[in-house]
Structures are given as C-alpha cells and as structure tokens.
Amino acid sequence: MYLCTTEEMRELDRYTIETIGIPGTVLMERAGLAVTQAILSRFPLPKRAIVLIGTGNNGGDGWVIARHLCQSGWEVKAWLLGDPSKLPADARCFYDAYRHFGSVSVLSAQGMDGLESDLEDTEVIVDALLGTGAKDGLRFPIDQVVQKVNQCHRAWTIAVDLPTGVNADTGKVMDQAIYADYTVTFAYPKWAFYLYPGADYVGDWDVVEIGTVLPVTPKVQVNRPSLWDKALCHRSPWSHKGRFGHLLVIGGADGMLGAVRMAGAAAYRCGTGKVTLTVPQGNEQSLKGAVMQEMVWSWSGDDYFADESSLSYRLRSEQFSAVVIGPGLGRFPGEEKWLGHLLEQIEHPVILDADAINILADHPHLLDLKIAAPLICTPHPGEMARLLRTTTQDVEQRRNEVAREYAMSTGMVVVLKGRFTIIAFPDGRQVVNPSGHPALAKAGSGDVLTGMIGAWLAQGVSIEEAVLMAVYLHGKAGEHSVTSAEQSVSVDEILAALGPVIQQYSF
Ligand SMILES: NC(=O)C1=CN([C@@H]2O[C@H](COP(=O)(O)OP(=O)(O)OC[C@H]3O[C@@H](n4cnc5c(N)ncnc54)[C@H](O)[C@@H]3O)[C@@H](O)[C@H]2O)[C@H](O)CC1
Ligand SMILES: [K+]
C-alpha cells in the first residue's frame, strides 16, 4: 500500500480526471458512497445524522453522503459552512442533487445556535468540512464548529478523507482538529495517519478505492509482509549452521552486558547460524557465564595492533556475514579512531546502534572514510536529534523529512524508531511501519531489533528485506507479547514472542 502526499493526491485527481477521463463527479459519488456504506455497516438502522459540509470537494463528498443517508431513511441535517454560490462544480452538482432529498442550513446566515442544538441532538456527525485541501490555521467559523463537535461526546464522528484541522502531510493540528471515531480515506493513506499528533485524531480508519489512477509510483509505502520474500526464512532439511551466517555483535561495556546478550538472543531466534558477542577486555568472563549459545570475545582498549587480541585481527580472520556495533558500547577515549578503524575494515553490512550512533554524531566526518560496508543506522528520536544537531522535538515534528534527508545525505539506511517507525533509503524511498505497541518502549527493545536486523543480514537477506522484516516482526512481537493496550512486558517476553511471530509471518 502506498502513502500519498497532498500534492500526489492532487496529481492523482488531475491525472484520473483529465488524462484517464473519469469525471470528478464519478470519483466524488464513489467517495461519498464508500463513506455512506461505512456508516450503514456500523448503524444498520436509521439514525439522526448531521453532515458538516465545507466549501471544497471534501464538502462535495458530504453532499453525496447526505443524499444517500436520506435515501436510507436517516434523519439528515446538512450544514454548509460557506456560500452555496461559491461551490466548485462537482460539489455543486451534488449540492443540487441533495436538495431533492433534504434542506440545507447555511451556518454563516444562521449563527451557531441552530447548529449547536442540532449537534446536541444528533447521533452521528459526518465531518466533510476540510480534507486534503486544508491550508494553514482553521478559519472562522470552522474553528468554532470543530470545538463544538469535539464537545459532542455522545455522537459518533466519522471524518471524510481526513479529520478537519489535521494537516495531511505533517500530521500537525491547525490550532484544533476533529477527534474522529473513524476515518474513511480515499485511494491511499496520508502521512498524517502515521505522524504525531495526527494519528491520534483519525481514530480507526480504512482506505477505499474509488477508481483513481496513479500517474507515478509514490516514494512511500506502508510496511507489510508482502514487501519481503518469506521464503528467505525457509530452512531446508539439509541445512547446516554455516548456511545461516555468523553475526558479530560489538558492545557490552561495563554494566551494559545485557545489551549484547539481548541482541545475540534475538539473532538466534531469527535463525542466525552463529553469533559472537565482543566486549571490552575484562568484561568477557562475566559474559561467558551468562550466555550459552553465543561465543564471547574481548578486545583490548587499544585496537590498532593486529595481534590476536585485537578486533581487527579477528575481523580479518573470521568469516562474519554481518556486524552490529553499539549495544551497550558506552563512550571511551579513542572511540573515534576505534570506530573509524573498524568501519574501514568491515566489508559486510554494518548496523550502527546506540552509542555507535552517538560516536558518529560527535564525529560525523567518520562517514568521509573509505567505508566498503553498507551501513544501517537505527536511531531513536534522541539519537537522530544528536546526528542532526537539533532537538528531539524537532525530529518528532518532522520524522518523515529528517529520516529521508539523513538517508539521502549519508547513503545509510535509516531506521528512525518510535510509534510508526520510518525506514528511509538513500534513494529517497521510505517505508512506514504500522506494527508496534507501547510495551516496546523500554531499554533492551532496541537491542532486540538490532539483533533481528543483524540476524537476517547475516543470513544473506537483502538489506531492504532484512530491515523491513525485522522492524515489522519486532512490532508484532510487541503486540503479541501483551494482552491489553496498557500492559507492559519484559524484554524476555518480547524475545519469547519472536518465534511464534516469525512462524506466523513466514511459511
Ligand atoms: N482523492 C480523490 O481521489 C478524491 C478526493 N475528493 C475529496 O476532495 C477533497 C479535496 O478537495 P479540495 O477542494 O482540494 O479541498 P478541501 O475540500 O479539503 O478544502 C478546500 C476548501 O476549504 C477551504 N479551506 C482551506 N483551508 C481552510 C482553512 N484552514 N480554514 C477554513 N477553510 C479552509 C478552501 O477555501 C476550500 O474552499 C479530498 O479531501 C476528498 O475528500 C473528491 O471528492 C473525490 C476524489
Ligand atoms: K474531513
């Protein structure tokens, strides 16, 4: 499923109507009918409904809905916020059609009193005020009406295409916005459905096809199993551990050994043949006692001598197929040269996580080194803010933009974690991940994700598929590990959920 910007939606309308030749009124009738069907499937018996109608084509959908509800025996009050003489042609067509079925109240002429009493009495509110054509802050009287609608807690509110007051491209709210119980959006979901705070205003939502034709392929998709080849997780009866790669996890500074353990445990649950955890000299004994499957190495603080205790020596002598740098790594003197030295040597895909990202943030020219390995970084919003030398709030307000810009400027695949994790590729494409649960918002959850990505990279899965599969299944593991929306769980439970979730979405 693609995700479209308002510009792409306008291009979609224009292309469908002007090039393909499907009249706008056909699209509008289909759009309005789809919303009506969503209402009737929820309320099989006629109810009282208010249809709030704006002066654009979103309002045009509203006239179609008002007419169909009338034909279905509903008691409908159509309220137009604007001048009927100024309606665009397609909306005008359905305004005229509706008036064979019901009367129209025009807010500007009658003030708020009539509308307020209608709102108090209604059972269903249809928000056909503003859709993808909304600009800037809400203008009077729409701002007042939005406020009144949000005070009608008894009524069930459905938004047409997008809740009024939500910016479709940024998810930002223009002063205020309608809290919809349900949204029916046309052709493709909008960014607002996956960005803060817009995602909180759309309620449950569905996308309906109304016959529009895409002129060009959008650059944003919504993550889902069909984007990766599940056969990649299949295990032949003749398999042996060498077939499933060898992941090296580098991290585990004092007091943070659990981070590499969680990454290693996740990697094994995702099918990696071998996992080696590498920690600073002195930490290996306690780690060896804590793990069973993983091999444990240590490296000396000064890693420039190619003797057997150095990481460089081991990187050259062992056949790793992917490397994770960062879980519990900590900060240390000489970190910049240490990381640069590693990046110049490793040829297999490298995932930079946690403090490896923070080292990169303090030494961005490390990316100017001759790095053979494809890089993936998995920042949470705070780490993304450090990479960009901005604030976490700024990152959260522009998640899709910052992830895309950083991926394109650095050539890295960027996994910007959070609700609706965004995966951005160096070619400008993005994928929004719909799975997840607040239970994942805890220390260790990121280590599990980085181990999952490393696992499938180590097994030879392409970077794109490994990242999309890991992010989606990590989110699903969070969902599967809880039984209620408010419940929190331990990382152990998230790890335990990996097996069933992978099973469910693989063969
Ligand atoms: N995507 C499709 O295939 C179809 C979409 N349809 C619907 O069309 C709207 C988009 O219609 P558009 O006329 O471009 O914009 P809106 O109706 O959302 O709003 C424009 C309208 O509102 C006024 N306005 C703009 N900003 C504000 C503001 N901040 N405060 C108050 N008023 C504002 C502006 O002056 C215009 O009059 C899309 O969402 C779908 O619902 C088609 O119906 C079918 C095909
Ligand atoms: K709307």
Side-chain angles (χ1 to χ4, degrees):
M1 175 164 58
Y2 292 112
L3 188 152
C4 277
T5 62
T6 50
E7 181 46 44
E8 286 169 328
M9 290 308 290
R10 270 191 290 279
E11 188 47 37
L12 181 81
D13 285 359
R14 215 183 350 257
Y15 181 73
T16 304
I17 295 165
E18 292 168 16
T19 306
I20 304 298
I22 299 174
T25 48
V26 169
L27 300 177
M28 195 168 278
E29 176 67 18
R30 286 177 182 162
L33 191 53
V35 176
T36 309
Q37 284 160 346
I39 295 170
L40 297 181
S41 66
R42 182 182 180 89
F43 301 102
L45 298 176
K47 297 274 182 191
R48 292 187 304 281
I50 277 196
V51 184
L52 299 170
I53 295 173
T55 49
N57 286 328
N58 193 249
D61 301 341
W63 297 118
V64 175
I65 297 161
R67 184 182 94 242
H68 282 295
L69 289 178
C70 285
Q71 286 179 268
S72 303
W74 281 49
E75 187 187 321
V76 176
K77 303 252 178 149
W79 276 87
L80 170 61
L81 275 64
D83 180 350
S85 66
K86 293 194 180 126
L87 296 180
D90 290 353
R92 178 77 212 203
C93 161
F94 293 108
Y95 164 76
D96 293 338
Y98 165 71
R99 288 176 60 221
H100 293 281
F101 295 86
S103 62
V104 177
S105 306
V106 179
L107 182 65
S108 50
Q110 302 189 27
M112 292 291 282
D113 296 350
L115 174 57
E116 270 190 87
S117 62
D118 281 355
L119 283 172
E120 276 152 22
D121 177 46
T122 195
E123 294 165 297
V124 171
I125 298 171
V126 178
D127 163 19
L129 291 170
L130 293 182
T132 53
K135 296 268 180 295
D136 316 320
L138 287 184
R139 294 198 291 271
F140 178 83
I142 285 189
D143 55 347
Q144 308 265 319
V145 173
V146 166
Q147 213 165 11
K148 295 294 175 200
V149 169
N150 285 339
Q151 289 163 2
C152 298
H153 301 299
R154 283 198 317 277
W156 183 78
T157 301
I158 182 167
V160 177
D161 206 23
L162 182 74
T164 292
V166 173
N167 180 306
D169 290 332
T170 65
K172 288 195 180 74
V173 165
M174 312 167 191
D175 318 317
Q176 52 196 323
I178 285 182
Y179 273 104
D181 295 292
Y182 190 75
T183 297
V184 175
T185 198
F186 309 125
Y188 301 98
K190 287 43 175 199
W191 267 116
F193 293 31
Y194 296 100
L195 293 170
Y196 177 82
D200 292 334
Y201 284 80
V202 294
D204 293 328
W205 55 271
D206 274 309
V207 188
V208 293
E209 182 49 58
I210 57 174
T212 46
V213 182
L214 268 178
V216 288
T217 305
K219 284 193 170 296
V220 186
Q221 286 187 294
V222 179
N223 200 7
R224 62 199 182 286
S226 58
L227 285 185
W228 63 73
D229 173 359
K230 288 172 280 186
L232 294 161
C233 308
H234 186 56
R235 302 175 86 86
S236 141
W238 307 100
S239 301
H240 59 84
K241 67 174 181 290
R243 155 72 184 76
F244 299 103
H246 186 174
L247 177 67
L248 175 64
V249 180
I250 306 174
D254 294 346
M256 296 192 277
L257 289 177
V260 290
R261 288 182 56 200
M262 286 182 277
Y268 270 123
R269 288 173 189 269
C270 294
T272 307
K274 287 195 284 185
V275 176
T276 295
L277 308 180
T278 306
V279 296
Q281 206 148 44
N283 290 352
E284 69 277 19
Q285 288 316 323
S286 42
L287 184 57
K288 283 176 182 168
V291 296
M292 180 178 68
Q293 307 172 97
E294 295 86 350
M295 289 165 281
V296 175
W297 285 356
S298 65
W299 83 82
S300 62
D302 177 359
D303 193 320
Y304 311 124
F305 307 103
D307 66 11
E308 288 197 9
S309 72
S310 80
L311 213 42
S312 314
Y313 178 86
R314 304 299 286 262
L315 278 171
R316 282 200 302 277
S317 57
E318 287 284 337
Q319 290 307 312
F320 294 109
S321 43
V323 182
V324 170
I325 306 177
L329 179 65
R331 306 297 299 268
F332 48 93
E335 62 190 18
E336 174 199 350
K337 279 186 112 178
W338 177 88
L339 182 56
H341 197 62
L342 286 183
L343 291 177
E344 284 177 316
Q345 293 190 69
I346 301 171
E347 287 163 8
H348 295 289
V350 172
I351 301 158
L352 299 175
D353 187 39
D355 276 322
I357 291 173
N358 294 327
I359 295 171
L360 181 60
D362 290 345
H363 311 286
H365 52 270
L366 281 169
L367 291 178
D368 300 334
L369 293 172
K370 194 169 169 3
I371 299 173
L375 299 183
I376 298 104
C377 68
T378 57
H380 58 54
E383 290 160 347
M384 190 81 237
R386 281 181 219 118
L387 286 171
L388 297 172
R389 290 188 164 65
T390 183
T391 64
T392 303
Q393 189 191 12
D394 175 40
V395 167
E396 286 298 64
Q397 287 181 349
R398 303 188 300 126
R399 287 173 58 82
N400 49 345
E401 285 172 34
V402 299
R404 185 167 181 268
E405 286 161 11
Y406 193 69
M408 292 181 80
S409 64
T410 61
M412 287 198 275
V413 173
V414 175
V415 179
L416 176 54
K417 297 182 285 194
R419 186 182 182 200
F420 303 128
T421 290
I422 292 177
I423 301 107
F425 297 99
D427 64 2
R429 287 176 306 114
Q430 287 179 287
V431 176
V432 182
N433 186 64
S435 65
H437 188 281
L440 289 167
K442 62 166 45 70
S445 176
D447 302 315
V448 170
L449 175 62
T450 201
M452 293 175 71
I453 299 172
W456 281 311
L457 289 174
Q459 295 173 70
V461 176
S462 73
I463 290 178
E464 178 159 339
E465 289 176 316
V467 171
L468 295 184
M469 190 157 51
V471 169
Y472 187 88
L473 296 177
H474 179 257
K476 283 296 178 186
E479 291 173 23
H480 285 240
S481 58
V482 296
T483 50
S484 76
E486 291 67 43
Q487 186 187 348
S488 183
V489 289
S490 72
V491 175
D492 280 338
E493 289 163 291
I494 295 169
L495 283 168
L498 284 185
V501 160
I502 291 166
Q503 188 60 32
Q504 180 179 345
Y505 290 98
S506 301
F507 276 100

